[in-house]
Amino acid sequence: MSFVRPEVGTFLKRWSEAIVWGLLTLLGLHALWLGLSEMAWVLILVGATLTTLGAAYTVGAVLRIRLADPVPAEGVVQVDEARVAYFGPLGGAFIDMDDLNRVEITDRFWRLTASDGTQLNIPRGASGVDALPDAFTALPGYSIASSDWQRSEEPTVPADNVRTLTRDTMPDRPN
């Protein structure tokens, strides 16, 4: 018998990483406050370090949770060096990061388009999809902290809630 309601258990499971890092941030703030009140320099240093690390990892965890889909989907995503591969029940494909021209995030899919027109649709609930935002940090002009991936000069977002990163709007890559 569980003493936790199923929806609360699901919430805690999904947000557990962000909760742990948030608690570390609070612990760091408490140590920092104690150090400042007693002028204990070691405690100030420890508190500042814990607060900084906890806050940075909390932000990263929250961003990964926002980009993940809580509904599981079929398939497995694998990121290996500079290649993104998706293996689904009806087949799969891979795209090299150097050939990647466009990244779109819809309500249900990550849509990757290569320079030769190859398109890879990855369900947002697929296993391993949480590695995609970290893999895309290698792309010039991409920031994991940016929830709006529209990199063009236009301030508009497409009507069907698609976020886009295109090769044309990225800065030139060094060779």
Side-chain angles (χ1 to χ4, degrees), residues 17-74:
E17 182 185 5
I19 291 170
V20 167
W21 290 119
L23 290 174
L24 181 71
T25 304
L26 290 176
L27 178 68
L29 285 172
H30 181 67
L32 186 62
W33 179 73
L34 286 176
L36 288 173
S37 66
E38 298 180 12
M39 294 311 268
W41 295 105
V42 172
L43 202 52
I44 291 173
L45 183 63
V46 168
T49 303
L50 289 177
T51 301
T52 303
L53 288 175
Y57 282 114
T58 301
V59 168
V62 168
L63 289 172
R64 280 191 298 278
I65 291 167
R66 286 183 55 210
L67 291 175
D69 193 353
V71 179
E74 297 173 332

Side-chain angles (χ1 to χ4, degrees), residues 83-86 92-96 118 120:
R83 178 177 284 179
V84 176
Y86 171 68
F94 66 89
I95 292 183
D96 291 327
T118 304
L120 181 58

Side-chain angles (χ1 to χ4, degrees), residues 54-134:
Y57 282 114
T58 301
V59 168
V62 168
L63 289 172
R64 280 191 298 278
I65 291 167
R66 286 183 55 210
L67 291 175
D69 193 353
V71 179
E74 297 173 332
V76 176
V77 176
Q78 185 178 31
V79 178
D80 186 27
E81 293 186 13
R83 178 177 284 179
V84 176
Y86 171 68
F87 307 103
L90 301 176
F94 66 89
I95 292 183
D96 291 327
M97 296 294 274
D98 292 335
D99 294 335
L100 194 61
N101 269 356
R102 185 180 186 102
V103 176
E104 297 175 334
I105 300 177
T106 65
D107 290 336
R108 305 301 297 169
F109 291 98
W110 288 78
R111 192 171 297 135
L112 312 178
T113 307
S115 57
D116 63 355
T118 304
Q119 193 171 39
L120 181 58
N121 293 322
I122 302 172
R124 287 181 56 189
S127 177
V129 78
D130 54 343
L132 288 179
D134 294 332

